[in-house]
């Protein structure tokens, strides 16, 4: 049963039909956001270049009233009438964004410029999906929005980290110089159905390995921490932020403040899957953060938002998704855009 969430209720209350662009709309987060916006009665324009998004994520929306799709890379400018923009277009997992680091940086920087120009021309409100990676390997814990971060500008994660930091700068410059209505969300680790099985992030890695009976690979000793937010909670945060007063731009942390070690996550996945997988350890990647947990005081105060789904509940839903998916894994991984 679907739970009525505050962000969706707000969007329904403001029932004027909006033309809303979701870039990266065929991806993990984007496809869930498209669904939520359609449920609120808006016209959704889903844009994706299928670099990491999948057609199957949006196939069920193809015949939905008020849904349209454009195949496009936001590195190239685009123009049409729009009231709101959610910019989710950027690979978010290390294997994907490191595969073509120059294009990853272009997506964050040139893509943001193009979308900000689109917002300026049409007086549209625009939300940037930024990331907790702007904090780097943090020296402040938990991370608050006023913290400037500890980022390596030359490391293997820099194309993503620094690209997102530069995008935030552009958003604030367009707000200050051109009066563009901007919103910036800093997303912490998010998981749930529609993650790719080859996503490369820890939740999907552990679940796929456990379901296949493979060794579960922990990089480092497993004492590093993360905070895991279920996708439904994050999407609700997006909607609350977009509907917030124009004077509130963010950045605002959106994530689950419950902190777990990577070792604890592995044990939960093994328990929930009933797997016989062994845990094995590999060297920690360069610049991998040792601690990651959001301070969500601002989101609670400004948006009246906080996560509802526990890790145990969210992992159960995600495991069921991957269990069904693995039977059809080859077509997913070889899907041709």
């Amino acid at each position: 049963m679907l739970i009525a969430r505050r962000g969706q209720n707000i969007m329904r209350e403001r029932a004027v039909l909006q033309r809303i662009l979701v870039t990266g709309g065929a991806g993990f987060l984007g496809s869930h956001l498209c669904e939520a916006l359609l449920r609120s009665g808006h016209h959704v324009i889903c844009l994706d270049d299928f670099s990491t998004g999948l057609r199957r994520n949006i196939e069920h929306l193809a015949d939905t009233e008020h849904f349209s799709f454009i195949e496009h890379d936001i590195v190239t400018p685009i123009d049409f009438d729009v009231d709101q923009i959610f910019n989710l277009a950027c690979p978010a997992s290390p294997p994907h964004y490191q595969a073509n680091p120059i294009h990853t940086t272009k997506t964050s920087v040139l893509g943001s410029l193009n979308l900000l120009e689109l917002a300026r021309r049409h007086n549209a409100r625009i939300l940037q999906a930024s990331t907790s990676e702007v904090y780097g390997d943090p020296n402040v814990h938990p991370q608050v929005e006023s913290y400037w971060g500890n980022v390596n500008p030359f490391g293997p994660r820099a194309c993503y980290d620094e690209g997102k930091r530069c995008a935030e700068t552009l958003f604030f410059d367009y707000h200050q110089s051109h009066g563009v209505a901007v919103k910036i969300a800093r997303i912490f680790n998010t998981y749930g159905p529609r993650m790719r099985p080859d996503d490369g992030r820890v939740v999907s890695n552990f679940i796929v390995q456990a379901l296949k009976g493979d060794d579960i690979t922990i990089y480092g000793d497993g004492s590093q921490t993360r905070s895991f937010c279920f996708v439904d909670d994050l999407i609700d945060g997006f909607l609350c932020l977009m509907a917030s007063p124009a004077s509130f731009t963010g950045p605002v942390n959106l994530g689950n403040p419950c902190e777990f070690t990577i070792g604890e996550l592995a044990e939960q996945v093994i328990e929930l899957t009933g797997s016989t997988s062994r845990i094995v350890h590999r060297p920690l990647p360069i610049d991998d953060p040792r601690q990651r947990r959001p301070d969500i005081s601002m989101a609670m105060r400004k948006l009246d938002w906080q996560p509802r789904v526990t890790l145990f509940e969210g992992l159960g839903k995600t495991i069921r998704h991957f269990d069904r998916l693995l039977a059809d894994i080859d077509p997913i991984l070889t899907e041709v855009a």
Side-chain angles (χ1 to χ4, degrees):
M1 182 177 67
L2 291 174
I3 298 172
R5 290 177 173 270
R6 182 172 181 274
Q8 290 182 22
N9 289 339
I10 291 173
M11 296 292 280
R12 289 193 191 100
E13 288 166 5
R14 301 179 182 183
V16 176
L17 182 67
Q18 299 278 299
R19 285 176 55 82
I20 302 178
L21 172 65
V22 179
T23 68
F28 161 48
L29 296 181
S31 60
H32 285 279
L33 177 59
C34 287
E35 287 178 338
L37 292 168
L38 288 167
R39 285 195 296 269
S40 296
H42 298 288
H43 182 101
V44 175
I45 305 160
C46 172
L47 183 150
D48 207 295
D49 66 353
F50 295 116
S51 56
T52 57
L54 296 172
R55 293 183 188 276
R56 63 184 298 136
N57 287 343
I58 55 171
E59 282 176 347
H60 63 294
L61 301 177
D63 296 326
T64 304
E65 187 179 11
H66 302 315
F67 178 80
S68 57
F69 175 76
I70 299 172
E71 186 171 349
H72 184 78
D73 183 344
I74 62 168
V75 169
T76 302
I78 193 168
D79 191 26
F80 48 83
D81 188 31
V82 65
D83 300 304
Q84 294 182 3
I85 303 167
F86 289 83
N87 181 25
L88 278 62
C90 188
S93 72
H96 292 158
Y97 66 64
Q98 290 170 358
N100 190 342
I102 294 173
H103 191 267
T104 296
T105 303
K106 284 182 174 180
T107 300
S108 287
V109 179
L110 296 180
S112 290
L113 276 171
N114 290 332
L115 294 175
L116 285 162
E117 278 296 317
L118 178 64
R120 184 179 67 84
R121 284 193 296 271
H122 296 281
N123 195 30
R125 180 174 288 199
I126 181 169
L127 183 149
Q128 166 68 359
S130 189
T131 172
S132 60
E133 295 295 333
V134 301
Y135 300 122
D137 188 5
N139 296 318
V140 171
H141 192 74
Q143 290 78 61
V144 293
E145 290 87 352
S146 58
Y147 176 51
W148 291 355
N150 178 35
V151 176
N152 178 358
F154 310 112
R157 305 170 75 99
C159 60
Y160 183 69
D161 301 1
E162 295 288 42
K164 291 288 191 176
R165 286 161 66 93
C166 184
E168 288 195 13
T169 300
L170 288 168
F171 267 67
F172 278 110
D173 287 345
Y174 265 75
H175 175 64
Q176 293 164 358
S177 299
H178 301 298
V180 174
V182 303
K183 306 286 182 181
I184 298 175
R186 289 180 177 167
I187 304 169
F188 282 68
N189 293 63
T190 304
Y191 69 99
R194 296 197 197 128
M195 295 185 82
R196 292 176 61 121
D198 64 340
D199 179 83
R201 284 175 284 190
V202 65
V203 172
S204 54
N205 279 356
F206 284 2
I207 291 175
V208 170
Q209 289 170 338
L211 289 173
K212 294 172 68 176
D214 296 341
D215 291 342
I216 290 182
T217 307
I218 291 180
Y219 294 96
D221 62 8
S223 63
Q224 65 270 36
T225 67
R226 296 292 185 272
S227 303
F228 301 101
C229 186
F230 190 64
V231 60
D232 291 354
D233 284 328
L234 182 74
I235 298 305
D236 195 50
F238 281 166
L239 300 181
C240 288
L241 178 57
M242 183 62 95
S244 64
S247 58
F248 180 64
T249 61
V252 59
N253 291 335
L254 295 180
N256 195 315
C258 296
E259 187 175 11
F260 296 87
T261 69
I262 296 301
E264 289 170 336
L265 174 68
E267 295 291 351
Q268 279 213 33
V269 169
I270 289 172
E271 178 185 349
L272 287 168
T273 57
S275 176
T276 58
S277 295
R278 300 180 307 125
I279 293 176
V280 298
H281 293 267
R282 297 286 183 267
L284 193 69
I286 296 172
D287 297 333
D288 194 65
R290 296 291 306 175
Q291 288 184 303
R292 187 62 61 76
R293 176 164 69 93
D295 182 317
I296 63 167
S297 301
M298 184 182 294
M300 294 173 66
R301 185 174 67 254
K302 295 286 190 178
L303 307 178
D304 191 24
W305 174 89
Q306 60 182 323
R308 301 180 182 185
V309 180
T310 66
L311 182 61
F312 185 87
E313 179 187 356
L315 283 178
K317 293 179 179 181
T318 309
I319 288 167
R320 288 191 290 275
H321 161 78
F322 276 108
D323 201 21
R324 293 189 298 268
L325 199 61
L326 287 177
D328 194 30
I329 191 168
D330 290 337
I332 294 168
L333 296 182
T334 59
E335 180 177 328
V336 177

